[in-house]
Amino acid sequence: MSFRSIVRDVRDGFGSLSRRSFDVRLPGHHRGKSHGSFHDLHDQPLVVQSSRWANLPPELLCDVIKRLEESESTWPARKHVVSCAAVCRSWRSMCKEIVRSPELCGKLTFPVSLKQPGSRDGTIQCFIKRDKSNLTYHLFLCLSPALLVENGKFLLSAKRTRRTTCTEYVISMDADNISRSSSTYIGKLRSNFLGTKFIMYDTQPPHTGAHVPPPGRTSRRFSKKVSPKVPATGSFNIAQITYELNVLGTRGPRRMHCIMHSIPAASLEAGGTVPGQPELLPRSLEDSFRSISFSTEFSSSRFSEIVAGSTSNEEEDGKAKPLILKNKAPRWHEQLQCWCLNFRGRVTVASVKNFQLIAATQPPPPPPPSASGAPTGSQPPTQSEHDKIILQFGKVGKDMFTMDYRYPLSAFQAFAICLSSFDTKLACE
């Protein structure tokens, strides 16, 4: 019996159950009347939990999921792994132990992967489709090496709204319902009047019990009546993107830098990690990313607030500085008479929107050589983490752009940074 047959049999076994039995109301997100709460899910026993598949021996279940996870490594076949995590609690717990995060395996499996750091060993290749008529942007996971493709795994969507003093991009996990009142709303990006400064907001507080700066100023603040559909939680600043002003009007590429409040600069050092990483969704998972929200524990964490109570000396405080990214400076090509960057074939159309981001902070100095002059045991790598391209974005066709990101950025953070490049910046060009 093949693994696909097992998965199909499992899905048929509980396919007659209503999906409402698995819906969970997550803190800070609005759900419809037909959705139960998180506590109701635990109070009412799941029918599937008493099925024959829930009583498989742990050794057999572990072997089944391991083999399935290894064989179904790409989408759309990857959906069978997601289906296994939706069977019951025991299957979900086993998937949580076996399926690794994108940082370790380089694969996007569950919706929570969108807020986890990317791969350390390589980039996760995606593409963005722009719809100028609807002012929407859709992020897809590349399923083939071809640049101009119409098929891909949907990840995120965004809708641009022009206001009097700013431009706002609402980011959602639903391809069609892109609004702040939706349960799939996970964050937004807001610019200033000139389009030179952007603030990235998360829907959940950076860290439970930590001091959180007041939310950004919104038009709803001046309204006497707030719609009950809007989540009670505010918008929490997790990053800031700045484009340098071009006062003299000289021709050249844009200059930008990003301050990632939720990522420490020490995350790029040897043994460094991104704190507050989310875990597997504690609920049933569907084949698609849409209609699934993140709970409080999935939000980005401000590392400076996490370590504030545990660090006291100046050396530790120095390591708690936020990660700052800057665009890689292009070189001037005399023959082509243009600025050039090496995108390794992932970008084919020249555009002022194209950029590559690297770490702006310098790595720590290497240890001094020993007295005998012999090399030390730990030699620095050929390419430091500070020199690697963390995010690159570029045009490949009309309304088609590639987005490749890696550790320590997540898909949500990378997508928001790329959205800032779409905005008009007359003062920077």
Side-chain angles (χ1 to χ4, degrees):
M1 190 177 186
S2 63
F3 292 111
R4 293 190 179 183
S5 300
I6 294 177
V7 174
R8 186 161 47 248
D9 193 7
V10 171
R11 297 181 64 182
D12 293 341
F14 64 91
S16 59
L17 296 177
S18 173
R19 287 176 55 188
R20 298 179 183 178
S21 302
F22 300 97
D23 286 331
V24 179
R25 181 168 186 173
L26 303 178
H29 292 278
H30 171 76
R31 308 292 272 183
K33 294 182 179 180
S34 61
H35 297 271
S37 65
F38 182 82
H39 300 286
D40 294 339
L41 179 68
H42 289 280
D43 295 339
Q44 300 177 1
L46 294 176
V47 179
V48 179
Q49 194 66 32
S50 60
S51 67
R52 54 177 178 152
W53 296 108
N55 299 323
L56 285 180
E59 296 81 5
L60 177 59
L61 178 60
C62 179
D63 184 63
V64 169
I65 296 181
K66 276 186 176 180
R67 295 192 181 189
L68 183 66
E69 201 276 336
E70 293 174 358
S71 61
E72 312 291 11
S73 58
T74 58
W75 288 92
R78 192 77 176 166
K79 65 181 181 181
H80 299 303
V81 180
V82 181
S83 299
C84 287
V87 175
C88 59
R89 295 188 185 94
S90 59
W91 285 58
R92 183 162 56 247
S93 300
M94 189 63 67
C95 288
K96 182 178 179 180
E97 297 178 4
I98 295 176
V99 180
R100 297 182 297 174
S101 65
E103 179 182 346
L104 302 176
C105 68
K107 303 173 186 176
L108 298 178
T109 306
F110 302 110
V112 70
S113 303
L114 300 177
K115 284 198 172 183
Q116 290 177 328
S119 173
R120 285 180 178 265
D121 299 330
T123 59
I124 297 179
Q125 297 182 346
C126 309
F127 66 91
I128 299 175
K129 295 180 66 175
R130 176 179 60 182
D131 188 345
K132 290 185 177 180
S133 60
N134 297 325
L135 299 178
T136 57
Y137 307 83
H138 292 83
L139 176 67
F140 296 87
L141 178 67
C142 290
L143 301 182
S144 66
L147 295 180
L148 295 176
V149 293
E150 293 297 329
N151 62 328
K153 172 59 183 173
F154 169 76
L155 300 179
L156 292 171
S157 62
K159 184 176 180 62
R160 182 174 65 180
T161 304
R162 294 185 181 274
R163 303 186 184 277
T164 306
T165 58
C166 66
T167 301
E168 189 172 273
Y169 295 83
V170 174
I171 303 176
S172 172
M173 296 179 64
D174 194 298
D176 302 318
N177 187 10
I178 312 174
S179 65
R180 293 187 60 185
S181 61
S182 171
S183 60
T184 56
Y185 166 71
I186 62 172
K188 67 179 180 180
L189 183 74
R190 172 172 291 179
S191 74
N192 61 356
F193 177 75
L194 296 177
T196 57
K197 293 184 179 180
F198 295 79
I199 297 181
M200 188 188 310
Y201 293 97
D202 197 355
T203 53
Q204 298 296 330
H207 179 50
T208 304
H211 173 70
V212 180
R217 181 173 154 182
T218 64
S219 58
R220 297 181 183 274
R221 177 181 175 183
F222 304 97
S223 176
K224 295 182 179 180
K225 184 176 181 181
V226 179
S227 173
K229 293 183 179 181
V230 178
T233 55
S235 299
F236 302 92
N237 182 353
I238 63 170
Q240 179 176 329
I241 308 163
T242 305
Y243 291 83
E244 293 184 10
L245 292 174
N246 188 2
V247 181
L248 301 179
T250 57
R251 295 180 60 86
R254 296 173 177 172
R255 297 185 180 92
M256 61 183 294
H257 69 271
C258 310
I259 303 177
M260 310 303 299
H261 299 302
S262 59
I263 304 176
S267 63
L268 295 182
E269 299 178 6
T273 59
V274 178
Q277 289 192 33
E279 297 180 356
L280 186 64
L281 279 170
R283 56 160 293 181
S284 65
L285 301 170
E286 299 172 284
D287 295 345
S288 174
F289 282 150
R290 60 179 69 183
S291 77
I292 300 182
S293 305
F294 295 99
S295 67
T296 305
E297 62 179 344
F298 303 150
S299 60
S300 303
S301 301
R302 287 183 82 101
F303 70 92
S304 56
E305 294 163 355
I306 295 177
V307 301
S310 59
T311 56
S312 57
N313 56 59
E314 295 182 358
E315 181 180 358
E316 290 179 341
D317 290 339
K319 292 183 179 180
K321 294 180 180 179
L323 174 66
I324 300 178
L325 305 176
K326 67 176 182 179
N327 65 301
K328 187 176 182 180
R331 61 180 181 86
W332 177 257
H333 198 289
E334 288 293 342
Q335 296 180 347
L336 299 178
Q337 290 294 300
C338 64
W339 297 96
C340 297
L341 280 171
N342 183 11
F343 288 94
R344 302 186 182 277
R346 292 285 295 163
V347 177
T348 58
V349 180
S351 174
V352 71
K353 298 178 177 63
N354 302 346
F355 66 83
Q356 291 178 331
L357 292 185
I358 60 175
T361 55
Q362 296 296 324
S370 58
S372 60
T376 57
S378 58
Q379 294 293 334
T382 55
Q383 185 182 20
S384 171
E385 291 289 338
H386 296 73
D387 300 328
K388 293 181 179 179
I389 297 174
I390 298 177
L391 171 63
Q392 75 173 20
F393 170 80
K395 192 172 184 179
V396 294
K398 184 180 180 180
D399 299 326
M400 287 283 293
F401 303 82
T402 56
M403 186 196 86
D404 303 339
Y405 74 99
R406 61 175 297 139
Y407 174 90
L409 289 182
S410 66
F412 166 70
Q413 295 167 338
F415 184 46
I417 294 175
C418 293
L419 289 175
S420 69
S421 185
F422 285 107
D423 210 47
T424 303
K425 303 168 182 60
L426 298 178
C428 302
E429 303 167 359

